[in-house]
Amino acid sequence: YEIAISQRKKKMLKLVATFKNSLGKNHTWSFNDPDTQKTDTEIKGLLQRMTEVKLCQKDGADLFNTVETAKYVETIETIIF
């Protein structure tokens, strides 16, 4: 989802999710160009699956222990020169 607004601006969309790691600290993860046709239930289910895999660890903590929030973040990038 990248739309040229003009020659100097670019619009981008990403899904940003917050997870709690196994130590209770927040961990943010993002995905560019998400499918905006998916329902909130479908997105939550897909993010929940990430908590079941247990592949990502840092400093002894599972990074994706529980999914807390998800949101779309829209960014407009303006080229100056």
Side-chain angles (χ1 to χ4, degrees):
Y1 172 89
E2 196 172 291
I3 299 172
I5 297 171
S6 72
Q7 290 181 335
R8 301 182 65 86
K9 291 188 179 195
K10 186 168 49 170
K11 190 174 182 182
M12 296 169 287
L13 183 73
K14 64 182 172 180
L15 173 70
V16 177
T18 302
F19 293 83
K20 289 272 188 202
N21 70 17
S22 58
L23 300 176
K25 295 185 178 182
N26 286 342
H27 175 74
T28 303
W29 174 85
S30 64
F31 180 78
N32 292 331
D33 304 319
D35 181 355
T36 57
Q37 300 302 310
K38 294 208 179 294
T39 66
D40 56 344
T41 303
E42 289 173 307
I43 292 170
K44 189 172 185 176
L46 291 168
L47 293 172
Q48 182 64 37
R49 287 175 60 187
M50 291 175 66
T51 68
E52 298 164 2
V53 178
K54 306 291 185 202
L55 287 179
C56 300
Q57 292 187 343
K58 182 178 179 183
D59 300 327
D62 292 324
L63 294 182
F64 304 105
N65 198 49
T66 60
V67 62
E68 300 294 315
T69 66
K71 60 186 172 187
Y72 290 117
V73 175
E74 197 170 33
T75 305
I76 297 175
E77 186 177 280
T78 305
I79 300 167
I80 299 171
F81 59 88

